[in-house]
Amino acid sequence: MKTILIIGIGAGNPEYITVQAIKALNQVDVFFFMDKGQTKEKLNHLRREICERYIEAHHYRIVESLTPERERTEGDYLQAVDRLNTDKQIIFERLIAEELEEGQCGAFLVWGDPSLYDSTLRILDAIIQTGRHALEYRVIPGITSVQALTAQHKVALNHIGRSVEITTGRRLANGFPENVDSVVVMLDAENTFTTLIDQDIDIYWGAYLGTPDEILVSGKLKEVAAQIERAREAAREANGWIMDTYLLKRR
């Protein structure tokens, strides 16, 4: 039997690692790092830093593999994600079969928390369902970018007794969700918040949360929307990519 640990490593600050995660890191024989190319090499650099900082007197290996990219065409989004996860499953299966011996423990280090906008759990479930591998896996939760965002802005996620919705930029394009006052938006590549500047809304925006490149902007949406757009464009130009999250709250 092979064991896989899915370890949430937080939103970018090595100090976001929990005690449970540190204990899990020290059980791992092989870490699987998915390489997203040169522009995102900082991501795996942070993974290495976490291993070097927290693993004590335990021999481990790091195996890196290129991760496939999602097709960015105008086709069906869900189908594109499904194809991406199928491609990732093939890679995960190969890594587990070729790089992990029976009785050993492997691990994937997942940004934020494995339960929020990440497909690692779905892919591992699909692998187990094939019956080709004798696997068991455990999940170690991590601090999400949502928690890091609200902490850095010193703002409560919800109004008292009210609901919160976590959504994507793609869905926010349909308008501010009904029956909630607070909306967390992730995976927004199109500055969708600009479609709501005529409404009385506050925004709390953050990019590269927890990292030395962190950028924070907050205020009335209609007053800071242009500033956020400029910050996003400059950051993407400087780094080749951007990872950001924002909270919208009705005033």
Side-chain angles (χ1 to χ4, degrees), residues 167-250:
T167 190
T168 66
R170 188 181 296 269
R171 296 186 66 85
L172 184 68
N174 296 323
F176 198 101
E178 297 181 1
N179 302 318
V180 296
D181 298 317
S182 302
V183 179
V184 175
V185 183
M186 308 177 75
L187 308 176
D188 182 6
E190 305 296 335
N191 296 324
T192 310
F193 53 83
T194 59
T195 64
L196 303 173
I197 57 175
D198 61 332
Q199 300 187 35
D200 196 13
I201 294 173
D202 288 327
I203 186 170
Y204 302 87
W205 176 84
Y208 312 112
L209 290 160
T211 75
D213 297 323
E214 181 178 85
I215 312 169
L216 300 171
V217 178
S218 65
K220 293 182 179 180
L221 178 58
K222 61 185 176 182
E223 296 177 358
V224 300
Q227 178 185 351
I228 295 172
E229 283 190 281
R230 291 192 299 270
R232 291 189 87 249
E233 183 177 356
R236 188 187 296 276
E237 179 68 23
N239 296 296
W241 60 282
I242 188 166
M243 184 183 298
D244 62 338
T245 304
Y246 56 91
L247 168 65
L248 300 174
K249 293 173 72 73
R250 292 192 186 278

Coordinates of all heavy atoms in Angstrom, one line a residue, residues 167-250:
T167 N -17.1 32.8 -5.1 CA -17.4 32.5 -6.5 C -16.2 32.9 -7.3 O -15.1 33.1 -6.9 CB -18.6 33.3 -6.9 OG1 -19.1 32.9 -8.2 CG2 -18.4 34.8 -6.9
T168 N -16.4 32.9 -8.7 CA -15.4 33.1 -9.6 C -15.7 34.4 -10.4 O -16.9 34.8 -10.4 CB -15.2 32.0 -10.6 OG1 -16.4 31.9 -11.4 CG2 -14.9 30.7 -9.9
G169 N -14.7 35.0 -11.1 CA -14.9 36.1 -11.9 C -15.9 35.8 -13.0 O -16.7 36.6 -13.4
R170 N -15.8 34.6 -13.5 CA -16.7 34.1 -14.6 C -18.2 34.2 -14.2 O -19.0 34.6 -15.0 CB -16.3 32.7 -15.0 CG -17.0 32.2 -16.2 CD -16.6 30.7 -16.5 NE -15.2 30.7 -16.8 CZ -14.7 30.8 -18.1 NH1 -15.5 30.9 -19.1 NH2 -13.4 30.7 -18.3
R171 N -18.5 33.8 -12.9 CA -19.8 33.9 -12.5 C -20.2 35.3 -12.0 O -21.4 35.6 -12.1 CB -20.0 32.8 -11.3 CG -19.8 31.4 -11.8 CD -20.2 30.4 -10.7 NE -21.6 30.4 -10.4 CZ -22.5 29.8 -11.1 NH1 -22.2 29.0 -12.1 NH2 -23.8 29.9 -10.7
L172 N -19.3 36.0 -11.5 CA -19.6 37.4 -11.0 C -20.1 38.2 -12.2 O -20.8 39.2 -12.0 CB -18.4 38.0 -10.4 CG -18.6 39.4 -9.8 CD1 -19.5 39.4 -8.6 CD2 -17.3 40.1 -9.4
A173 N -19.7 37.9 -13.4 CA -20.1 38.6 -14.6 C -21.6 38.6 -14.8 O -22.1 39.5 -15.5 CB -19.4 38.0 -15.9
N174 N -22.3 37.7 -14.1 CA -23.7 37.7 -14.1 C -24.4 38.6 -13.2 O -25.6 38.8 -13.1 CB -24.3 36.3 -13.8 CG -23.8 35.2 -14.9 OD1 -23.7 35.6 -16.1 ND2 -23.5 34.0 -14.5
G175 N -23.5 39.3 -12.4 CA -24.1 40.3 -11.4 C -23.7 39.9 -10.0 O -23.4 38.8 -9.7
F176 N -23.9 40.9 -9.0 CA -23.6 40.6 -7.6 C -24.7 39.6 -7.1 O -25.9 39.8 -7.3 CB -23.8 41.9 -6.8 CG -23.2 41.8 -5.4 CD1 -21.9 42.4 -5.2 CD2 -23.8 41.3 -4.4 CE1 -21.3 42.3 -3.9 CE2 -23.3 41.2 -3.1 CZ -22.0 41.8 -2.9
P177 N -24.3 38.5 -6.5 CA -25.2 37.5 -6.1 C -26.3 38.0 -5.2 O -26.0 38.9 -4.3 CB -24.3 36.4 -5.4 CG -23.0 36.6 -5.9 CD -22.9 38.1 -6.2
E178 N -27.5 37.5 -5.3 CA -28.6 37.9 -4.5 C -28.5 37.2 -3.1 O -27.9 36.2 -2.9 CB -29.9 37.5 -5.1 CG -30.2 38.2 -6.5 CD -31.5 37.9 -7.1 OE1 -32.2 37.1 -6.4 OE2 -31.8 38.3 -8.2
N179 N -29.1 37.9 -2.1 CA -29.3 37.3 -0.8 C -28.0 37.2 0.0 O -27.9 36.5 1.0 CB -30.0 36.0 -0.8 CG -31.4 36.0 -1.4 OD1 -32.1 37.0 -1.2 ND2 -31.7 35.1 -2.3
V180 N -26.9 37.9 -0.4 CA -25.7 37.9 0.3 C -25.2 39.4 0.3 O -25.4 40.1 -0.6 CB -24.6 37.0 -0.2 CG1 -25.0 35.5 -0.1 CG2 -24.2 37.3 -1.6
D181 N -24.4 39.7 1.3 CA -23.8 41.1 1.4 C -22.3 41.0 1.1 O -21.7 42.1 0.8 CB -24.0 41.7 2.7 CG -25.5 41.9 3.0 OD1 -26.2 42.4 2.1 OD2 -26.0 41.7 4.1
S182 N -21.7 39.8 1.3 CA -20.3 39.7 1.1 C -20.0 38.6 0.1 O -20.5 37.5 0.2 CB -19.6 39.3 2.5 OG -19.9 40.2 3.4
V183 N -19.1 38.9 -0.9 CA -18.8 38.0 -2.0 C -17.2 37.9 -2.1 O -16.6 39.0 -2.3 CB -19.4 38.4 -3.3 CG1 -19.0 37.4 -4.4 CG2 -20.9 38.5 -3.2
V184 N -16.7 36.7 -2.0 CA -15.3 36.5 -2.3 C -15.1 36.0 -3.7 O -15.8 35.1 -4.1 CB -14.7 35.5 -1.3 CG1 -13.2 35.2 -1.7 CG2 -14.7 35.9 0.1
V185 N -14.2 36.7 -4.5 CA -14.1 36.4 -5.9 C -12.7 35.9 -6.1 O -11.7 36.5 -5.8 CB -14.4 37.6 -6.8 CG1 -14.3 37.2 -8.2 CG2 -15.7 38.2 -6.5
M186 N -12.6 34.7 -6.7 CA -11.3 34.1 -7.1 C -11.3 33.8 -8.6 O -12.3 33.7 -9.2 CB -11.1 32.8 -6.2 CG -11.3 33.0 -4.7 SD -11.1 31.5 -3.8 CE -9.3 31.3 -3.8
L187 N -10.1 33.6 -9.1 CA -10.0 33.2 -10.5 C -10.6 34.2 -11.5 O -11.4 33.8 -12.4 CB -10.6 31.8 -10.7 CG -10.1 30.7 -9.8 CD1 -10.9 29.4 -10.1 CD2 -8.7 30.5 -9.9
D188 N -10.4 35.5 -11.2 CA -10.9 36.5 -12.1 C -9.8 37.1 -12.9 O -9.0 37.9 -12.4 CB -11.6 37.6 -11.2 CG -12.2 38.7 -12.1 OD1 -12.2 38.6 -13.3 OD2 -12.6 39.7 -11.5
A189 N -9.7 36.8 -14.2 CA -8.7 37.3 -15.1 C -9.1 38.5 -15.9 O -8.4 39.0 -16.6 CB -8.3 36.2 -16.1
E190 N -10.4 38.9 -15.7 CA -11.0 39.9 -16.6 C -11.4 41.2 -15.8 O -12.1 42.0 -16.4 CB -12.2 39.4 -17.3 CG -11.9 38.1 -18.1 CD -11.0 38.3 -19.2 OE1 -10.9 39.4 -19.7 OE2 -10.3 37.3 -19.6
N191 N -10.9 41.4 -14.6 CA -11.3 42.6 -13.8 C -12.8 42.8 -13.8 O -13.3 43.9 -14.0 CB -10.7 43.9 -14.4 CG -9.1 43.9 -14.4 OD1 -8.6 43.4 -13.4 ND2 -8.5 44.4 -15.4
T192 N -13.5 41.7 -13.5 CA -15.0 41.7 -13.5 C -15.6 42.7 -12.5 O -16.7 43.1 -12.7 CB -15.5 40.3 -13.3 OG1 -14.8 39.4 -14.1 CG2 -17.0 40.2 -13.6
F193 N -14.8 43.0 -11.5 CA -15.3 44.0 -10.5 C -15.7 45.3 -11.1 O -16.5 46.0 -10.6 CB -14.3 44.2 -9.3 CG -12.9 44.6 -9.8 CD1 -12.6 45.9 -10.1 CD2 -11.9 43.6 -10.0 CE1 -11.4 46.2 -10.6 CE2 -10.7 43.9 -10.4 CZ -10.4 45.2 -10.7
T194 N -15.1 45.6 -12.2 CA -15.4 46.9 -12.9 C -16.8 47.0 -13.4 O -17.3 48.1 -13.6 CB -14.4 47.2 -14.0 OG1 -14.6 46.1 -15.0 CG2 -13.0 47.2 -13.6
T195 N -17.5 45.9 -13.5 CA -18.9 45.9 -14.0 C -19.8 46.3 -12.8 O -21.0 46.5 -13.1 CB -19.3 44.5 -14.5 OG1 -19.3 43.6 -13.4 CG2 -18.4 44.0 -15.6
L196 N -19.3 46.5 -11.6 CA -20.2 46.8 -10.5 C -19.9 48.2 -9.9 O -20.3 48.5 -8.8 CB -20.0 45.7 -9.4 CG -20.2 44.3 -9.8 CD1 -19.9 43.3 -8.7 CD2 -21.7 44.1 -10.2
I197 N -19.1 49.0 -10.6 CA -18.7 50.2 -10.0 C -19.8 51.2 -9.7 O -19.6 52.2 -9.0 CB -17.6 50.9 -10.8 CG1 -18.0 51.2 -12.2 CG2 -16.3 50.1 -10.8 CD1 -17.0 51.9 -13.1
D198 N -21.0 51.0 -10.3 CA -22.1 51.9 -10.1 C -22.9 51.5 -8.8 O -23.8 52.2 -8.5 CB -23.1 51.8 -11.3 CG -23.6 50.4 -11.5 OD1 -22.9 49.4 -11.2 OD2 -24.7 50.3 -12.1
Q199 N -22.4 50.5 -8.1 CA -23.1 50.0 -6.9 C -22.3 50.5 -5.7 O -21.1 50.7 -5.8 CB -23.3 48.5 -6.9 CG -24.1 48.0 -8.1 CD -24.4 46.5 -7.9 OE1 -24.6 46.0 -6.8 NE2 -24.4 45.8 -9.1
D200 N -23.0 50.6 -4.5 CA -22.4 51.0 -3.3 C -21.6 49.9 -2.6 O -22.2 49.2 -1.7 CB -23.4 51.6 -2.4 CG -22.8 52.5 -1.3 OD1 -21.6 52.8 -1.4 OD2 -23.5 52.8 -0.3
I201 N -20.4 49.6 -3.1 CA -19.7 48.4 -2.6 C -18.3 48.8 -2.2 O -17.6 49.6 -2.9 CB -19.6 47.4 -3.8 CG1 -21.0 46.8 -4.1 CG2 -18.7 46.2 -3.5 CD1 -21.1 45.9 -5.3
D202 N -17.8 48.1 -1.2 CA -16.4 48.2 -0.8 C -15.6 47.0 -1.4 O -16.2 45.9 -1.4 CB -16.2 48.2 0.7 CG -16.6 49.6 1.3 OD1 -16.5 50.6 0.7 OD2 -17.1 49.6 2.5
I203 N -14.4 47.2 -1.7 CA -13.6 46.1 -2.2 C -12.3 46.0 -1.4 O -11.7 47.0 -1.0 CB -13.2 46.2 -3.7 CG1 -12.5 45.0 -4.2 CG2 -12.4 47.5 -4.0 CD1 -12.3 45.0 -5.8
Y204 N -11.9 44.8 -1.1 CA -10.6 44.5 -0.4 C -9.9 43.5 -1.3 O -10.3 42.3 -1.4 CB -10.9 43.8 1.0 CG -11.7 44.7 1.9 CD1 -13.1 44.7 1.8 CD2 -11.1 45.6 2.7 CE1 -13.9 45.5 2.6 CE2 -11.9 46.5 3.6 CZ -13.3 46.4 3.5 OH -14.1 47.2 4.3
W205 N -8.9 44.0 -2.0 CA -8.2 43.2 -3.0 C -6.7 42.9 -2.6 O -6.1 43.7 -1.9 CB -8.2 44.0 -4.3 CG -7.4 43.4 -5.5 CD1 -7.8 42.5 -6.3 CD2 -6.0 43.8 -5.8 NE1 -6.8 42.2 -7.3 CE2 -5.7 43.0 -7.0 CE3 -5.1 44.6 -5.3 CZ2 -4.5 43.0 -7.6 CZ3 -3.8 44.7 -6.0 CH2 -3.5 43.9 -7.1
G206 N -6.3 41.7 -3.0 CA -4.9 41.4 -2.6 C -4.3 40.4 -3.7 O -5.0 39.6 -4.2
A207 N -3.0 40.6 -4.0 CA -2.3 39.8 -5.0 C -1.1 39.2 -4.3 O -0.5 39.9 -3.5 CB -2.0 40.6 -6.2
Y208 N -0.7 38.0 -4.7 CA 0.5 37.4 -4.2 C 0.5 37.4 -2.6 O 1.5 37.6 -2.0 CB 1.8 38.0 -4.7 CG 1.8 38.3 -6.2 CD1 1.8 39.6 -6.6 CD2 1.9 37.3 -7.1 CE1 1.9 39.9 -8.0 CE2 1.9 37.6 -8.5 CZ 1.9 38.9 -8.9 OH 2.0 39.1 -10.2
L209 N -0.6 37.1 -2.1 CA -0.8 37.2 -0.6 C 0.2 36.3 0.1 O 0.4 35.2 -0.2 CB -2.2 36.8 -0.3 CG -3.3 37.8 -0.7 CD1 -4.7 37.1 -0.8 CD2 -3.3 39.0 0.2
G210 N 0.8 36.9 1.1 CA 1.7 36.2 2.0 C 3.1 36.2 1.5 O 4.0 35.7 2.2
T211 N 3.4 36.7 0.3 CA 4.7 36.6 -0.3 C 5.3 38.0 -0.3 O 4.7 39.0 0.0 CB 4.6 36.1 -1.8 OG1 4.1 37.2 -2.6 CG2 3.7 34.9 -2.0
P212 N 6.6 38.1 -0.6 CA 7.3 39.4 -0.6 C 6.7 40.3 -1.7 O 6.9 41.5 -1.6 CB 8.8 39.0 -0.9 CG 8.9 37.6 -0.4 CD 7.6 37.0 -0.7
D213 N 6.0 39.7 -2.7 CA 5.5 40.6 -3.8 C 4.0 41.0 -3.5 O 3.4 41.6 -4.3 CB 5.4 39.7 -5.1 CG 6.8 39.3 -5.5 OD1 7.7 40.2 -5.4 OD2 7.0 38.2 -6.0
E214 N 3.6 40.8 -2.2 CA 2.2 41.1 -1.9 C 1.8 42.5 -2.2 O 2.5 43.5 -2.0 CB 2.0 40.8 -0.4 CG 0.5 41.1 0.1 CD 0.4 40.7 1.6 OE1 0.7 41.6 2.4 OE2 0.0 39.6 1.9
I215 N 0.6 42.7 -2.8 CA 0.0 44.0 -3.1 C -1.4 44.0 -2.5 O -2.2 43.1 -2.6 CB -0.1 44.3 -4.6 CG1 1.2 43.9 -5.3 CG2 -0.5 45.7 -4.9 CD1 1.1 43.9 -6.8
L216 N -1.7 45.1 -1.8 CA -3.1 45.3 -1.2 C -3.7 46.6 -1.6 O -3.0 47.6 -1.6 CB -3.0 45.2 0.4 CG -2.4 43.9 1.0 CD1 -2.1 44.2 2.5 CD2 -3.3 42.8 0.8
V217 N -5.0 46.6 -1.9 CA -5.7 47.8 -2.2 C -7.1 47.6 -1.6 O -7.7 46.5 -1.7 CB -5.8 48.1 -3.7 CG1 -6.7 49.3 -4.0 CG2 -4.5 48.2 -4.3
S218 N -7.7 48.7 -1.0 CA -9.0 48.6 -0.5 C -9.7 50.0 -0.5 O -9.0 51.0 -0.6 CB -9.0 48.1 1.0 OG -8.4 49.0 1.9
G219 N -11.0 50.0 -0.5 CA -11.7 51.2 -0.5 C -13.0 51.1 -1.2 O -13.5 50.0 -1.6
K220 N -13.7 52.2 -1.5 CA -14.9 52.2 -2.3 C -14.6 51.7 -3.7 O -13.7 52.2 -4.3 CB -15.6 53.5 -2.3 CG -16.1 54.0 -1.0 CD -16.8 55.4 -1.1 CE -17.3 55.9 0.3 NZ -18.0 57.2 0.1
L221 N -15.4 50.7 -4.2 CA -15.1 50.1 -5.5 C -14.9 51.2 -6.6 O -14.0 51.1 -7.4 CB -16.1 49.1 -5.8 CG -16.0 48.4 -7.2 CD1 -14.6 47.7 -7.3 CD2 -17.1 47.4 -7.4
K222 N -15.9 52.1 -6.6 CA -15.8 53.1 -7.7 C -14.6 54.0 -7.6 O -14.2 54.6 -8.6 CB -17.1 53.9 -7.7 CG -17.4 54.7 -6.5 CD -18.7 55.4 -6.6 CE -19.1 56.2 -5.3 NZ -20.4 56.8 -5.4
E223 N -14.0 54.1 -6.4 CA -12.9 55.0 -6.3 C -11.5 54.3 -6.5 O -10.5 55.0 -6.8 CB -12.9 55.6 -4.9 CG -14.1 56.5 -4.6 CD -14.1 57.1 -3.2 OE1 -13.2 56.7 -2.4 OE2 -15.0 57.9 -2.9
V224 N -11.5 53.0 -6.3 CA -10.2 52.3 -6.4 C -10.1 51.3 -7.5 O -9.1 50.6 -7.7 CB -9.8 51.6 -5.1 CG1 -9.7 52.6 -3.9 CG2 -10.8 50.5 -4.7
A225 N -11.2 51.1 -8.3 CA -11.2 50.1 -9.3 C -10.1 50.3 -10.4 O -9.4 49.4 -10.8 CB -12.6 50.1 -10.0
A226 N -9.9 51.6 -10.8 CA -8.9 51.9 -11.8 C -7.5 51.6 -11.2 O -6.6 51.1 -11.9 CB -9.0 53.3 -12.2
Q227 N -7.3 51.9 -9.9 CA -6.0 51.6 -9.3 C -5.7 50.1 -9.3 O -4.6 49.7 -9.5 CB -6.0 52.2 -7.8 CG -4.8 51.9 -7.1 CD -4.9 52.4 -5.6 OE1 -5.8 53.0 -5.2 NE2 -3.8 52.0 -4.8
I228 N -6.7 49.3 -9.0 CA -6.5 47.9 -9.0 C -6.2 47.4 -10.4 O -5.3 46.5 -10.6 CB -7.8 47.2 -8.4 CG1 -7.9 47.5 -6.9 CG2 -7.6 45.6 -8.6 CD1 -9.2 47.0 -6.3
E229 N -6.9 47.9 -11.4 CA -6.6 47.5 -12.8 C -5.2 47.8 -13.1 O -4.5 47.0 -13.7 CB -7.5 48.2 -13.7 CG -9.0 47.7 -13.8 CD -9.7 48.3 -14.9 OE1 -10.2 49.5 -14.8 OE2 -9.9 47.7 -16.0
R230 N -4.7 49.0 -12.8 CA -3.3 49.4 -13.1 C -2.3 48.5 -12.3 O -1.3 48.0 -12.9 CB -3.0 50.8 -12.7 CG -3.8 51.8 -13.6 CD -3.2 53.2 -13.4 NE -3.4 53.7 -12.0 CZ -4.5 54.3 -11.6 NH1 -5.5 54.6 -12.4 NH2 -4.6 54.7 -10.3
A231 N -2.6 48.2 -11.0 CA -1.8 47.3 -10.2 C -1.7 45.9 -10.8 O -0.6 45.3 -10.9 CB -2.2 47.3 -8.8
R232 N -2.8 45.4 -11.3 CA -2.8 44.0 -11.8 C -2.0 44.0 -13.1 O -1.2 43.1 -13.3 CB -4.3 43.6 -12.2 CG -5.1 43.3 -11.0 CD -6.5 42.7 -11.3 NE -6.4 41.2 -11.4 CZ -6.4 40.5 -12.5 NH1 -6.6 41.2 -13.7 NH2 -6.3 39.2 -12.5
E233 N -2.2 45.0 -14.0 CA -1.5 45.0 -15.2 C 0.1 45.1 -15.0 O 0.8 44.4 -15.6 CB -1.9 46.2 -16.1 CG -1.3 46.3 -17.5 CD -1.8 47.4 -18.3 OE1 -2.7 48.1 -17.8 OE2 -1.3 47.6 -19.4
A234 N 0.5 46.0 -14.1 CA 1.9 46.1 -13.8 C 2.5 44.9 -13.2 O 3.6 44.5 -13.5 CB 2.1 47.3 -12.8
A235 N 1.7 44.2 -12.3 CA 2.2 43.0 -11.6 C 2.3 41.9 -12.6 O 3.3 41.1 -12.6 CB 1.3 42.6 -10.5
R236 N 1.4 41.7 -13.5 CA 1.4 40.7 -14.5 C 2.6 40.9 -15.4 O 3.3 40.0 -15.8 CB 0.1 40.6 -15.3 CG 0.0 39.4 -16.2 CD -1.2 39.5 -17.1 NE -2.4 39.4 -16.3 CZ -3.0 38.3 -15.9 NH1 -2.4 37.1 -16.2 NH2 -4.1 38.3 -15.2
E237 N 2.8 42.2 -15.8 CA 4.0 42.5 -16.7 C 5.3 42.2 -16.0 O 6.2 41.7 -16.6 CB 3.9 44.0 -17.0 CG 5.0 44.4 -17.9 CD 4.9 43.9 -19.3 OE1 3.8 43.5 -19.8 OE2 6.0 43.8 -20.0
A238 N 5.4 42.5 -14.7 CA 6.6 42.3 -14.0 C 6.9 40.8 -13.7 O 8.1 40.4 -13.7 CB 6.6 43.0 -12.7
N239 N 5.9 40.0 -13.4 CA 6.1 38.6 -12.9 C 5.7 37.6 -14.0 O 6.0 36.4 -13.8 CB 5.3 38.4 -11.7 CG 5.7 39.2 -10.5 OD1 6.9 39.1 -10.0 ND2 4.9 40.1 -10.0
G240 N 5.0 38.0 -15.0 CA 4.5 37.0 -16.0 C 3.2 36.3 -15.6 O 2.7 35.5 -16.4
W241 N 2.7 36.5 -14.4 CA 1.5 35.9 -14.0 C 1.0 36.7 -12.7 O 1.7 37.5 -12.2 CB 1.7 34.4 -13.6 CG 2.8 34.3 -12.4 CD1 4.1 34.4 -12.6 CD2 2.5 34.1 -11.1 NE1 4.7 34.2 -11.3 CE2 3.7 34.0 -10.4 CE3 1.3 33.9 -10.3 CZ2 3.9 33.8 -9.0 CZ3 1.5 33.7 -8.9 CH2 2.7 33.6 -8.3
I242 N -0.2 36.4 -12.4 CA -0.8 37.1 -11.2 C -1.7 36.1 -10.5 O -2.4 35.3 -11.1 CB -1.5 38.4 -11.5 CG1 -1.8 39.1 -10.2 CG2 -2.7 38.2 -12.3 CD1 -2.2 40.6 -10.4
M243 N -1.7 36.1 -9.2 CA -2.6 35.3 -8.3 C -3.2 36.3 -7.3 O -2.6 36.7 -6.4 CB -1.8 34.2 -7.6 CG -2.7 33.2 -6.8 SD -1.7 32.0 -5.9 CE -0.8 31.2 -7.3
D244 N -4.5 36.6 -7.5 CA -5.1 37.5 -6.7 C -6.5 37.1 -6.3 O -7.1 36.2 -6.9 CB -5.2 38.9 -7.3 CG -6.0 38.9 -8.6 OD1 -6.2 37.9 -9.2 OD2 -6.5 40.0 -9.0
T245 N -7.0 37.7 -5.2 CA -8.3 37.4 -4.6 C -8.9 38.7 -4.1 O -8.2 39.6 -3.7 CB -8.2 36.4 -3.4 OG1 -7.5 35.3 -3.9 CG2 -9.5 36.0 -2.9
Y246 N -10.3 38.8 -4.1 CA -10.8 40.0 -3.5 C -12.2 39.7 -2.9 O -12.9 38.8 -3.2 CB -10.9 41.2 -4.5 CG -11.7 40.9 -5.8 CD1 -13.1 41.2 -5.9 CD2 -11.1 40.5 -7.0 CE1 -13.8 41.0 -7.1 CE2 -11.8 40.3 -8.2 CZ -13.1 40.5 -8.2 OH -13.8 40.3 -9.4
L247 N -12.5 40.6 -1.9 CA -13.8 40.5 -1.2 C -14.6 41.8 -1.5 O -14.1 42.9 -1.4 CB -13.5 40.5 0.3 CG -14.7 40.7 1.3 CD1 -15.7 39.6 1.1 CD2 -14.1 40.8 2.7
L248 N -15.8 41.6 -1.9 CA -16.8 42.7 -2.1 C -17.8 42.7 -1.0 O -18.4 41.6 -0.7 CB -17.5 42.5 -3.5 CG -16.6 42.4 -4.7 CD1 -17.4 42.1 -6.0 CD2 -15.9 43.8 -4.9
K249 N -18.0 43.8 -0.5 CA -19.0 44.0 0.6 C -19.9 45.1 0.4 O -19.5 46.3 0.1 CB -18.3 44.2 2.0 CG -17.5 43.0 2.5 CD -16.7 43.3 3.7 CE -17.5 43.4 4.9 NZ -18.0 42.1 5.4
R250 N -21.2 44.9 0.4 CA -22.2 46.0 0.3 C -22.1 46.9 1.4 O -21.9 46.5 2.6 CB -23.6 45.4 0.2 CG -23.9 44.6 -1.1 CD -25.4 44.4 -1.2 NE -25.8 43.5 -2.3 CZ -25.9 44.0 -3.6 NH1 -25.7 45.2 -3.9 NH2 -26.2 43.1 -4.5

